[in-house]
Amino acid sequence: MPDQYRATFDSGEFEAARAPDAAKTDDEGERYESAARDYVQFVNPHLGELLERVALDKCFVGAEGHVLIDAEGERYLDAVSGYGAVPFGHNPDWVWQAVRDFEQRREPCMVQPSLLPGAGELAEALVRRGPPGMRHVTFGSSGTEAVEAAIKACRLATGRLGVLSTENGFHGKTLAALSATGRPFFQEGCGAPAAGFRFVPYGDADALDEALREHGHETAAFIVEPIQGEGGVVEPPAGYLGLARRICDRHGVLLIVDEIQTGLGRTGALFACQSEGITPDALTLAKALGGGLLPVSACLLSASAWTPEFASKHSSTFGGNALAMRVALRVVERLASEEHGVIENVVRQGSYLKRGLRALQREHGSVIREVRGRGLMLGVELGVDPSFMARGVGTFMTRLGEHLAAFAASYLLNVCGLRVAPTLAGGNVLRVQPPLTVTRDECDWIIRAFQQLARTIGAGRSDEFVAHLVAPKGSKRPRTEAVRGGQSTRTEDAAEGEGRFAFIVHLLDLRSMAECDRSLAGLSSSELGELAHRFEDSAKPFHASSVRIQSTSGQTARGDFIILPKTTTQLLRMSPDEALEDVASAVRLGKERGARIVGLGGYTSVVAQNIRALLKIGVPLTTGNSYTVVSAVEAAVEAARTTGRSMEHYRAAIVGGAGSIGSALASLIAERVASVVLVGREGDSAAMRKRYAVILARMVRHLARRRAQGVRFAPGSLADELSRLQCGEELSQSEGRLRLTESAEQRVLAQTSELPVRFTVDLPAAVAQADIVFLATSSPDPLIQPDMVRPGTVVCDLSRPANVSDDLFQRGDVLVIDGGIVAVPGRPDLGFRFGLAPGLAYACMAETMMLALEHRYEHTSLGRDLQEESLDSFRDLAGKHGFRLAELRARQRPIDLRAWRSRTAA
Ligand code: PLP
């Protein structure tokens, strides 16, 4: 290992070493960095943010050979090499010497249209060393300019405008080159592809032949890369270029070979097309030609592609400038010199590196999926073991999707000191393109870095993978216990007659990230927060697990759990449109997987306010709120029984009493308690009064119905009195909302004014006077503090995240229970636990399951006011299918009721 790199490989781990000779003073380093950050803000703030998220926003302040140095003096082996534009490492002395020689000679740099000796010498060198048959050269400054020249030359030579290109190819971003770039993302909105551009699949000679048979008469040229670089280092089948040459000849079409990336030694030959022994009509070069110092490009033309018309119509102010020509000439001479053996080095180190990476592929096939390319133009395709998801380890990495390569590049850079880059459009491919002069030691460095990456990903260690991203600066990396995999959940096809559902959940809080991926359990809350922030843009809904529900009546349903990987706080922070789009894509995923009813869990129904947009997706939806209400009442009854006090003396407070769950709960609980206080949020008092009147009328209507069904209420009880009033029939319902006319509202309030049902916004007072408190809000924060609650109070928390503070939970003399948790018939493993014991589910999930068991594929529990019939029907369906209240639980654990009783008795 050369001393200058000073990375140590002991025990296979890298220790980033501080260079003793940091290239810049602290002040200078800071100035560099701040100017670099300013630039990214000018040119593309979004890119700046993306780079920052994945910690690829390094500012290099120095470079020595193959190594880059950042402001802190850390050194990184550069295997990006300016996307091929840095062929001999950074700042090679002999390139600078060419500049110094030029300075000394005082040769004029830009004197067009006078004669240009430098350009003449370079053109001669290129034609002499290029494929036989190249006759003419025109110079420019960038690769895309060379492609433009090639296309124009071929069009003028043939009198045709058509250009055939390859899908997934890359030829630059000015308009003709962009039109030939087979990636719609770059073209859309820019007027590309321009008229006349067509595409055929890359590597498919038959498709080329067929396209030219049909369109050859209107096609000037076929443009192709010997290896697709930006497309993900894709090699065509052997012999493809030779066949392309013959097919083009057969149809009288010119052939442009774009060697901007492959040319000048990169693939182990001076020109990649030489390995198939062909001569194109146009050959484009750029990148390496400038020796890593100057922007310069060239378009070489055969006699068939060159015309005097082209020569007179094409030029460029900087094309042929003498400084660039002198440097490029040295580059070509260097590459061609046997003494320096650059190309031989490419062949030797390239095959060593490829062998090493391929050996890793054999060992870690789930991570290193493929190693492709030739010479020192290599691509490593990455993947993640798909079974991680079901095993609950490494899940984070499986969810990165197409962003895996960026995160892997970040790991390699920050942990292993190796700089590699994803390709522009090549999925999860990392390009490995060290300088052509790379050494054996450096190849070992690259192989070891990939080995460490593969071990980390292969072991499902999301924590290790992201440690550098989330740890506070200067702190030690966290380590967790060895990760053990759990049982995988198999996805089977639904049997005939089975119901089908999907249920959408999101991450409740940062801790639930570790529940999805146990390898993250060792990260602190702030580290998880950092990770959530960095992952935010990449987080798309995914299928997490599948389950088959068998009702006690024998019916079955199969369902998928779809995770929307955003925390409650993230969801609430998003704009309504963004949140809706995320929820909609989760619903679509459920539908695509075969769901006939989709349940919207947690905040997904809260943030998707524009429910109409979701309805358009064309699959019935439910919030699961009806059965949540039913099961909350059951839990309250059970809790009251436990406390040994009769519920009919209870004063109930419902926090969130104006909402969908709270208001329905008011009707049901009024059957059993002495008084009800609805606690709402502060707001416009006229609207609050309206809402209160609607909820009262609804309670009256519900209790009157129950009486009509033969239910007997104790004389003088709240239920008895409400059920005798005559104001429930005045309610009308539209679009899931109950309404009263103004006069009906007056009558309702007048009739109920003497009764103990109140509406308030004074939460502390209401809670202080209650014997039982229901929490059913969409607030993500703790609302109930310990000093608000009297000893002996029952608190039933339906809100997720919980509305009960940790301190209250610790108080031994208050019974806090999780509402809305039920046991699923047969207690199946849902694959994901959602913080629950096996076989338990939230009531909203259970509602979705019941709808599927019943094949009741209709919108349910949507809108602000749940339908009475729905509430009734889920009580019955739960009995029919065997869903029942889970034992009383708090913070997802069974409550030790004996201990509780002895505490409260004392
Ligand atoms: N053609 C190929 C094959 C390339 O790889 C590239 C750049 O990556 C170009 C053309 C465009 O070159 P430039 O970015 O210098 O315009």
Side-chain angles (χ1 to χ4, degrees), residues 504 541 562 564 571 574 576-590 598 600-601 603-609 611 614 617 621:
I504 296 168
I562 310 284
L564 202 166
L571 277 175
M574 291 165 86
D577 284 354
E578 282 171 340
L580 182 70
E581 187 38 48
D582 266 18
V583 176
S585 62
V587 171
R588 281 193 288 268
L589 178 58
V598 176
L600 301 172
Y603 276 65
T604 61
S605 58
V606 177
V607 294
Q609 282 165 3
I611 195 93
L614 292 186
I617 295 174
L621 302 174

PDB file of all heavy atoms in Angstrom, residues 504 541 562 564 571 574 576-590 598 600-601 603-609 611 614 617 621:
ATOM      1  N   ILE A 504     -53.224  -0.222   4.604  1.00  0.00           N
ATOM      2  CA  ILE A 504     -52.073   0.684   4.492  1.00  0.00           C
ATOM      3  C   ILE A 504     -51.697   1.218   5.865  1.00  0.00           C
ATOM      4  O   ILE A 504     -52.558   1.722   6.590  1.00  0.00           O
ATOM      5  CB  ILE A 504     -52.410   1.853   3.556  1.00  0.00           C
ATOM      6  CG1 ILE A 504     -52.656   1.262   2.175  1.00  0.00           C
ATOM      7  CG2 ILE A 504     -51.280   2.860   3.494  1.00  0.00           C
ATOM      8  CD1 ILE A 504     -53.265   2.208   1.232  1.00  0.00           C
ATOM      9  N   PRO A 541     -44.184   3.777  -0.946  1.00  0.00           N
ATOM     10  CA  PRO A 541     -44.936   2.686  -0.321  1.00  0.00           C
ATOM     11  C   PRO A 541     -44.465   1.325  -0.835  1.00  0.00           C
ATOM     12  O   PRO A 541     -44.089   1.193  -2.000  1.00  0.00           O
ATOM     13  CB  PRO A 541     -46.377   2.944  -0.781  1.00  0.00           C
ATOM     14  CG  PRO A 541     -46.410   4.361  -1.185  1.00  0.00           C
ATOM     15  CD  PRO A 541     -45.044   4.708  -1.675  1.00  0.00           C
ATOM     16  N   ILE A 562     -49.442  -2.871   3.269  1.00  0.00           N
ATOM     17  CA  ILE A 562     -48.613  -1.952   2.484  1.00  0.00           C
ATOM     18  C   ILE A 562     -48.077  -0.902   3.455  1.00  0.00           C
ATOM     19  O   ILE A 562     -48.868  -0.272   4.170  1.00  0.00           O
ATOM     20  CB  ILE A 562     -49.456  -1.220   1.414  1.00  0.00           C
ATOM     21  CG1 ILE A 562     -50.293  -2.199   0.593  1.00  0.00           C
ATOM     22  CG2 ILE A 562     -48.599  -0.311   0.542  1.00  0.00           C
ATOM     23  CD1 ILE A 562     -49.581  -2.984  -0.435  1.00  0.00           C
ATOM     24  N   LEU A 564     -46.356   2.637   4.139  1.00  0.00           N
ATOM     25  CA  LEU A 564     -45.974   3.948   3.608  1.00  0.00           C
ATOM     26  C   LEU A 564     -44.871   4.432   4.557  1.00  0.00           C
ATOM     27  O   LEU A 564     -45.160   4.773   5.704  1.00  0.00           O
ATOM     28  CB  LEU A 564     -47.213   4.847   3.664  1.00  0.00           C
ATOM     29  CG  LEU A 564     -47.274   6.045   2.756  1.00  0.00           C
ATOM     30  CD1 LEU A 564     -48.688   6.568   2.715  1.00  0.00           C
ATOM     31  CD2 LEU A 564     -46.320   7.100   3.146  1.00  0.00           C
ATOM     32  N   LEU A 571     -45.606  12.855   7.657  1.00  0.00           N
ATOM     33  CA  LEU A 571     -46.850  12.942   6.889  1.00  0.00           C
ATOM     34  C   LEU A 571     -47.552  14.268   7.141  1.00  0.00           C
ATOM     35  O   LEU A 571     -48.057  14.898   6.217  1.00  0.00           O
ATOM     36  CB  LEU A 571     -47.796  11.806   7.289  1.00  0.00           C
ATOM     37  CG  LEU A 571     -47.571  10.461   6.621  1.00  0.00           C
ATOM     38  CD1 LEU A 571     -48.500   9.423   7.219  1.00  0.00           C
ATOM     39  CD2 LEU A 571     -47.809  10.556   5.124  1.00  0.00           C
ATOM     40  N   MET A 574     -46.026  17.212   5.266  1.00  0.00           N
ATOM     41  CA  MET A 574     -46.091  17.261   3.796  1.00  0.00           C
ATOM     42  C   MET A 574     -47.242  18.161   3.343  1.00  0.00           C
ATOM     43  O   MET A 574     -48.204  18.356   4.073  1.00  0.00           O
ATOM     44  CB  MET A 574     -46.343  15.849   3.239  1.00  0.00           C
ATOM     45  CG  MET A 574     -45.192  14.920   3.421  1.00  0.00           C
ATOM     46  SD  MET A 574     -45.702  13.211   3.168  1.00  0.00           S
ATOM     47  CE  MET A 574     -45.528  13.077   1.398  1.00  0.00           C
ATOM     48  N   PRO A 576     -50.670  18.889   1.375  1.00  0.00           N
ATOM     49  CA  PRO A 576     -51.780  17.961   1.154  1.00  0.00           C
ATOM     50  C   PRO A 576     -51.627  17.189  -0.154  1.00  0.00           C
ATOM     51  O   PRO A 576     -51.916  15.990  -0.211  1.00  0.00           O
ATOM     52  CB  PRO A 576     -53.006  18.869   1.121  1.00  0.00           C
ATOM     53  CG  PRO A 576     -52.598  20.077   1.902  1.00  0.00           C
ATOM     54  CD  PRO A 576     -51.122  20.234   1.704  1.00  0.00           C
ATOM     55  N   ASP A 577     -51.128  17.855  -1.187  1.00  0.00           N
ATOM     56  CA  ASP A 577     -51.011  17.171  -2.484  1.00  0.00           C
ATOM     57  C   ASP A 577     -49.985  16.050  -2.438  1.00  0.00           C
ATOM     58  O   ASP A 577     -50.201  14.957  -2.952  1.00  0.00           O
ATOM     59  CB  ASP A 577     -50.607  18.156  -3.580  1.00  0.00           C
ATOM     60  CG  ASP A 577     -51.791  19.012  -3.984  1.00  0.00           C
ATOM     61  OD1 ASP A 577     -52.899  18.720  -3.484  1.00  0.00           O
ATOM     62  OD2 ASP A 577     -51.585  19.957  -4.750  1.00  0.00           O
ATOM     63  N   GLU A 578     -48.846  16.351  -1.801  1.00  0.00           N
ATOM     64  CA  GLU A 578     -47.794  15.315  -1.720  1.00  0.00           C
ATOM     65  C   GLU A 578     -48.280  14.132  -0.901  1.00  0.00           C
ATOM     66  O   GLU A 578     -48.080  12.972  -1.265  1.00  0.00           O
ATOM     67  CB  GLU A 578     -46.552  15.879  -1.025  1.00  0.00           C
ATOM     68  CG  GLU A 578     -45.680  16.753  -1.870  1.00  0.00           C
ATOM     69  CD  GLU A 578     -44.606  17.433  -1.027  1.00  0.00           C
ATOM     70  OE1 GLU A 578     -44.764  17.524   0.219  1.00  0.00           O
ATOM     71  OE2 GLU A 578     -43.623  17.859  -1.604  1.00  0.00           O
ATOM     72  N   ALA A 579     -48.931  14.457   0.236  1.00  0.00           N
ATOM     73  CA  ALA A 579     -49.399  13.378   1.108  1.00  0.00           C
ATOM     74  C   ALA A 579     -50.427  12.536   0.369  1.00  0.00           C
ATOM     75  O   ALA A 579     -50.385  11.299   0.402  1.00  0.00           O
ATOM     76  CB  ALA A 579     -49.992  13.967   2.385  1.00  0.00           C
ATOM     77  N   LEU A 580     -51.305  13.221  -0.342  1.00  0.00           N
ATOM     78  CA  LEU A 580     -52.339  12.497  -1.075  1.00  0.00           C
ATOM     79  C   LEU A 580     -51.704  11.580  -2.116  1.00  0.00           C
ATOM     80  O   LEU A 580     -52.098  10.426  -2.284  1.00  0.00           O
ATOM     81  CB  LEU A 580     -53.273  13.500  -1.756  1.00  0.00           C
ATOM     82  CG  LEU A 580     -54.419  12.874  -2.522  1.00  0.00           C
ATOM     83  CD1 LEU A 580     -55.419  12.263  -1.553  1.00  0.00           C
ATOM     84  CD2 LEU A 580     -55.127  13.911  -3.387  1.00  0.00           C
ATOM     85  N   GLU A 581     -50.673  12.084  -2.791  1.00  0.00           N
ATOM     86  CA  GLU A 581     -50.033  11.279  -3.831  1.00  0.00           C
ATOM     87  C   GLU A 581     -49.394  10.025  -3.232  1.00  0.00           C
ATOM     88  O   GLU A 581     -49.478   8.943  -3.789  1.00  0.00           O
ATOM     89  CB  GLU A 581     -48.990  12.130  -4.586  1.00  0.00           C
ATOM     90  CG  GLU A 581     -48.377  11.453  -5.804  1.00  0.00           C
ATOM     91  CD  GLU A 581     -49.352  10.608  -6.617  1.00  0.00           C
ATOM     92  OE1 GLU A 581     -50.458  11.092  -6.936  1.00  0.00           O
ATOM     93  OE2 GLU A 581     -49.031   9.429  -6.919  1.00  0.00           O
ATOM     94  N   ASP A 582     -48.782  10.180  -2.065  1.00  0.00           N
ATOM     95  CA  ASP A 582     -48.180   9.015  -1.415  1.00  0.00           C
ATOM     96  C   ASP A 582     -49.237   7.987  -1.023  1.00  0.00           C
ATOM     97  O   ASP A 582     -49.071   6.791  -1.244  1.00  0.00           O
ATOM     98  CB  ASP A 582     -47.418   9.450  -0.151  1.00  0.00           C
ATOM     99  CG  ASP A 582     -45.955   9.687  -0.453  1.00  0.00           C
ATOM    100  OD1 ASP A 582     -45.637   9.849  -1.644  1.00  0.00           O
ATOM    101  OD2 ASP A 582     -45.143   9.699   0.497  1.00  0.00           O
ATOM    102  N   VAL A 583     -50.330   8.499  -0.436  1.00  0.00           N
ATOM    103  CA  VAL A 583     -51.388   7.569  -0.020  1.00  0.00           C
ATOM    104  C   VAL A 583     -51.984   6.916  -1.265  1.00  0.00           C
ATOM    105  O   VAL A 583     -52.222   5.707  -1.300  1.00  0.00           O
ATOM    106  CB  VAL A 583     -52.479   8.301   0.809  1.00  0.00           C
ATOM    107  CG1 VAL A 583     -53.611   7.345   1.154  1.00  0.00           C
ATOM    108  CG2 VAL A 583     -51.878   8.887   2.078  1.00  0.00           C
ATOM    109  N   ALA A 584     -52.187   7.742  -2.314  1.00  0.00           N
ATOM    110  CA  ALA A 584     -52.778   7.189  -3.537  1.00  0.00           C
ATOM    111  C   ALA A 584     -51.884   6.105  -4.120  1.00  0.00           C
ATOM    112  O   ALA A 584     -52.374   5.063  -4.572  1.00  0.00           O
ATOM    113  CB  ALA A 584     -52.997   8.305  -4.558  1.00  0.00           C
ATOM    114  N   SER A 585     -50.577   6.300  -4.073  1.00  0.00           N
ATOM    115  CA  SER A 585     -49.740   5.255  -4.682  1.00  0.00           C
ATOM    116  C   SER A 585     -49.777   3.995  -3.827  1.00  0.00           C
ATOM    117  O   SER A 585     -49.682   2.884  -4.353  1.00  0.00           O
ATOM    118  CB  SER A 585     -48.327   5.734  -4.989  1.00  0.00           C
ATOM    119  OG  SER A 585     -47.689   6.092  -3.826  1.00  0.00           O
ATOM    120  N   ALA A 586     -49.952   4.157  -2.505  1.00  0.00           N
ATOM    121  CA  ALA A 586     -50.094   2.959  -1.667  1.00  0.00           C
ATOM    122  C   ALA A 586     -51.405   2.239  -1.984  1.00  0.00           C
ATOM    123  O   ALA A 586     -51.440   1.006  -2.085  1.00  0.00           O
ATOM    124  CB  ALA A 586     -50.042   3.357  -0.193  1.00  0.00           C
ATOM    125  N   VAL A 587     -52.469   3.028  -2.191  1.00  0.00           N
ATOM    126  CA  VAL A 587     -53.766   2.410  -2.514  1.00  0.00           C
ATOM    127  C   VAL A 587     -53.665   1.679  -3.866  1.00  0.00           C
ATOM    128  O   VAL A 587     -54.126   0.546  -4.025  1.00  0.00           O
ATOM    129  CB  VAL A 587     -54.894   3.475  -2.554  1.00  0.00           C
ATOM    130  CG1 VAL A 587     -56.191   2.883  -3.097  1.00  0.00           C
ATOM    131  CG2 VAL A 587     -55.108   4.063  -1.164  1.00  0.00           C
ATOM    132  N   ARG A 588     -53.009   2.343  -4.823  1.00  0.00           N
ATOM    133  CA  ARG A 588     -52.859   1.709  -6.146  1.00  0.00           C
ATOM    134  C   ARG A 588     -52.089   0.407  -6.029  1.00  0.00           C
ATOM    135  O   ARG A 588     -52.428  -0.597  -6.649  1.00  0.00           O
ATOM    136  CB  ARG A 588     -52.170   2.662  -7.123  1.00  0.00           C
ATOM    137  CG  ARG A 588     -53.119   3.718  -7.688  1.00  0.00           C
ATOM    138  CD  ARG A 588     -52.490   4.427  -8.881  1.00  0.00           C
ATOM    139  NE  ARG A 588     -51.428   5.314  -8.450  1.00  0.00           N
ATOM    140  CZ  ARG A 588     -51.603   6.603  -8.168  1.00  0.00           C
ATOM    141  NH1 ARG A 588     -52.781   7.165  -8.327  1.00  0.00           N
ATOM    142  NH2 ARG A 588     -50.610   7.354  -7.753  1.00  0.00           N
ATOM    143  N   LEU A 589     -51.033   0.428  -5.202  1.00  0.00           N
ATOM    144  CA  LEU A 589     -50.239  -0.795  -5.027  1.00  0.00           C
ATOM    145  C   LEU A 589     -51.119  -1.910  -4.470  1.00  0.00           C
ATOM    146  O   LEU A 589     -51.071  -3.059  -4.937  1.00  0.00           O
ATOM    147  CB  LEU A 589     -49.055  -0.503  -4.092  1.00  0.00           C
ATOM    148  CG  LEU A 589     -48.133  -1.666  -3.756  1.00  0.00           C
ATOM    149  CD1 LEU A 589     -47.535  -2.261  -5.021  1.00  0.00           C
ATOM    150  CD2 LEU A 589     -46.994  -1.200  -2.824  1.00  0.00           C
ATOM    151  N   GLY A 590     -51.958  -1.564  -3.480  1.00  0.00           N
ATOM    152  CA  GLY A 590     -52.871  -2.563  -2.906  1.00  0.00           C
ATOM    153  C   GLY A 590     -53.798  -3.112  -3.967  1.00  0.00           C
ATOM    154  O   GLY A 590     -54.010  -4.317  -4.087  1.00  0.00           O
ATOM    155  N   VAL A 598     -59.633  -1.637   0.416  1.00  0.00           N
ATOM    156  CA  VAL A 598     -58.365  -1.160   0.980  1.00  0.00           C
ATOM    157  C   VAL A 598     -58.643  -0.346   2.245  1.00  0.00           C
ATOM    158  O   VAL A 598     -59.464   0.576   2.229  1.00  0.00           O
ATOM    159  CB  VAL A 598     -57.592  -0.285  -0.040  1.00  0.00           C
ATOM    160  CG1 VAL A 598     -56.325   0.293   0.590  1.00  0.00           C
ATOM    161  CG2 VAL A 598     -57.219  -1.102  -1.268  1.00  0.00           C
ATOM    162  N   LEU A 600     -57.471   2.269   5.144  1.00  0.00           N
ATOM    163  CA  LEU A 600     -56.517   3.377   5.302  1.00  0.00           C
ATOM    164  C   LEU A 600     -56.165   3.485   6.780  1.00  0.00           C
ATOM    165  O   LEU A 600     -56.970   3.972   7.569  1.00  0.00           O
ATOM    166  CB  LEU A 600     -57.142   4.689   4.828  1.00  0.00           C
ATOM    167  CG  LEU A 600     -57.605   4.732   3.377  1.00  0.00           C
ATOM    168  CD1 LEU A 600     -58.376   6.015   3.106  1.00  0.00           C
ATOM    169  CD2 LEU A 600     -56.411   4.619   2.433  1.00  0.00           C
ATOM    170  N   GLY A 601     -54.995   3.030   7.139  1.00  0.00           N
ATOM    171  CA  GLY A 601     -54.621   3.007   8.553  1.00  0.00           C
ATOM    172  C   GLY A 601     -54.044   4.321   9.022  1.00  0.00           C
ATOM    173  O   GLY A 601     -53.520   5.103   8.225  1.00  0.00           O
ATOM    174  N   TYR A 603     -52.730   7.761  10.009  1.00  0.00           N
ATOM    175  CA  TYR A 603     -52.926   9.097   9.460  1.00  0.00           C
ATOM    176  C   TYR A 603     -53.155   9.101   7.963  1.00  0.00           C
ATOM    177  O   TYR A 603     -53.320  10.152   7.370  1.00  0.00           O
ATOM    178  CB  TYR A 603     -51.700   9.963   9.786  1.00  0.00           C
ATOM    179  CG  TYR A 603     -51.790  10.555  11.152  1.00  0.00           C
ATOM    180  CD1 TYR A 603     -51.766   9.729  12.265  1.00  0.00           C
ATOM    181  CD2 TYR A 603     -51.937  11.916  11.346  1.00  0.00           C
ATOM    182  CE1 TYR A 603     -51.875  10.249  13.531  1.00  0.00           C
ATOM    183  CE2 TYR A 603     -52.040  12.440  12.610  1.00  0.00           C
ATOM    184  CZ  TYR A 603     -52.009  11.607  13.699  1.00  0.00           C
ATOM    185  OH  TYR A 603     -52.120  12.116  14.944  1.00  0.00           O
ATOM    186  N   THR A 604     -53.123   7.929   7.350  1.00  0.00           N
ATOM    187  CA  THR A 604     -53.280   7.975   5.884  1.00  0.00           C
ATOM    188  C   THR A 604     -54.654   8.532   5.532  1.00  0.00           C
ATOM    189  O   THR A 604     -54.813   9.204   4.533  1.00  0.00           O
ATOM    190  CB  THR A 604     -53.059   6.600   5.217  1.00  0.00           C
ATOM    191  OG1 THR A 604     -54.022   5.678   5.702  1.00  0.00           O
ATOM    192  CG2 THR A 604     -51.666   6.075   5.490  1.00  0.00           C
ATOM    193  N   SER A 605     -55.664   8.268   6.403  1.00  0.00           N
ATOM    194  CA  SER A 605     -56.977   8.827   6.088  1.00  0.00           C
ATOM    195  C   SER A 605     -57.059  10.285   6.529  1.00  0.00           C
ATOM    196  O   SER A 605     -57.846  11.051   5.997  1.00  0.00           O
ATOM    197  CB  SER A 605     -58.080   8.011   6.750  1.00  0.00           C
ATOM    198  OG  SER A 605     -57.892   7.975   8.136  1.00  0.00           O
ATOM    199  N   VAL A 606     -56.214  10.678   7.471  1.00  0.00           N
ATOM    200  CA  VAL A 606     -56.257  12.063   7.948  1.00  0.00           C
ATOM    201  C   VAL A 606     -55.620  12.993   6.910  1.00  0.00           C
ATOM    202  O   VAL A 606     -56.148  14.051   6.575  1.00  0.00           O
ATOM    203  CB  VAL A 606     -55.512  12.189   9.298  1.00  0.00           C
ATOM    204  CG1 VAL A 606     -55.485  13.635   9.767  1.00  0.00           C
ATOM    205  CG2 VAL A 606     -56.152  11.294  10.338  1.00  0.00           C
ATOM    206  N   VAL A 607     -54.460  12.565   6.385  1.00  0.00           N
ATOM    207  CA  VAL A 607     -53.762  13.453   5.453  1.00  0.00           C
ATOM    208  C   VAL A 607     -54.393  13.446   4.064  1.00  0.00           C
ATOM    209  O   VAL A 607     -54.255  14.401   3.317  1.00  0.00           O
ATOM    210  CB  VAL A 607     -52.250  13.129   5.340  1.00  0.00           C
ATOM    211  CG1 VAL A 607     -51.559  13.418   6.637  1.00  0.00           C
ATOM    212  CG2 VAL A 607     -52.021  11.705   4.887  1.00  0.00           C
ATOM    213  N   ALA A 608     -55.082  12.359   3.753  1.00  0.00           N
ATOM    214  CA  ALA A 608     -55.712  12.302   2.429  1.00  0.00           C
ATOM    215  C   ALA A 608     -57.073  12.986   2.524  1.00  0.00           C
ATOM    216  O   ALA A 608     -58.115  12.353   2.446  1.00  0.00           O
ATOM    217  CB  ALA A 608     -55.850  10.855   1.982  1.00  0.00           C
ATOM    218  N   GLN A 609     -57.031  14.304   2.714  1.00  0.00           N
ATOM    219  CA  GLN A 609     -58.303  14.995   2.919  1.00  0.00           C
ATOM    220  C   GLN A 609     -59.165  14.968   1.666  1.00  0.00           C
ATOM    221  O   GLN A 609     -60.373  14.894   1.728  1.00  0.00           O
ATOM    222  CB  GLN A 609     -58.037  16.446   3.330  1.00  0.00           C
ATOM    223  CG  GLN A 609     -57.637  16.522   4.783  1.00  0.00           C
ATOM    224  CD  GLN A 609     -57.027  17.878   5.122  1.00  0.00           C
ATOM    225  OE1 GLN A 609     -56.959  18.768   4.283  1.00  0.00           O
ATOM    226  NE2 GLN A 609     -56.582  18.007   6.350  1.00  0.00           N
ATOM    227  N   ILE A 611     -60.519  12.998  -0.308  1.00  0.00           N
ATOM    228  CA  ILE A 611     -60.811  11.571  -0.451  1.00  0.00           C
ATOM    229  C   ILE A 611     -61.336  11.249  -1.843  1.00  0.00           C
ATOM    230  O   ILE A 611     -61.157  10.170  -2.365  1.00  0.00           O
ATOM    231  CB  ILE A 611     -61.791  11.130   0.664  1.00  0.00           C
ATOM    232  CG1 ILE A 611     -61.860   9.614   0.813  1.00  0.00           C
ATOM    233  CG2 ILE A 611     -63.179  11.679   0.449  1.00  0.00           C
ATOM    234  CD1 ILE A 611     -60.943   9.075   1.804  1.00  0.00           C
ATOM    235  N   LEU A 614     -58.927   9.793  -4.072  1.00  0.00           N
ATOM    236  CA  LEU A 614     -58.641   8.379  -3.801  1.00  0.00           C
ATOM    237  C   LEU A 614     -59.767   7.492  -4.338  1.00  0.00           C
ATOM    238  O   LEU A 614     -59.525   6.377  -4.804  1.00  0.00           O
ATOM    239  CB  LEU A 614     -58.502   8.141  -2.296  1.00  0.00           C
ATOM    240  CG  LEU A 614     -57.298   8.762  -1.601  1.00  0.00           C
ATOM    241  CD1 LEU A 614     -57.243   8.304  -0.154  1.00  0.00           C
ATOM    242  CD2 LEU A 614     -56.004   8.377  -2.300  1.00  0.00           C
ATOM    243  N   ILE A 617     -59.512   6.009  -7.785  1.00  0.00           N
ATOM    244  CA  ILE A 617     -58.625   4.871  -8.079  1.00  0.00           C
ATOM    245  C   ILE A 617     -59.450   3.631  -8.392  1.00  0.00           C
ATOM    246  O   ILE A 617     -59.003   2.723  -9.083  1.00  0.00           O
ATOM    247  CB  ILE A 617     -57.650   4.647  -6.899  1.00  0.00           C
ATOM    248  CG1 ILE A 617     -56.745   5.860  -6.778  1.00  0.00           C
ATOM    249  CG2 ILE A 617     -56.839   3.380  -7.067  1.00  0.00           C
ATOM    250  CD1 ILE A 617     -55.835   5.845  -5.561  1.00  0.00           C
ATOM    251  N   LEU A 621     -62.864   1.759  -0.278  1.00  0.00           N
ATOM    252  CA  LEU A 621     -61.964   2.134   0.825  1.00  0.00           C
ATOM    253  C   LEU A 621     -62.703   2.097   2.154  1.00  0.00           C
ATOM    254  O   LEU A 621     -63.915   2.291   2.200  1.00  0.00           O
ATOM    255  CB  LEU A 621     -61.460   3.569   0.616  1.00  0.00           C
ATOM    256  CG  LEU A 621     -60.723   3.864  -0.682  1.00  0.00           C
ATOM    257  CD1 LEU A 621     -60.444   5.364  -0.782  1.00  0.00           C
ATOM    258  CD2 LEU A 621     -59.407   3.096  -0.734  1.00  0.00           C
TER     259      LEU A 621
END
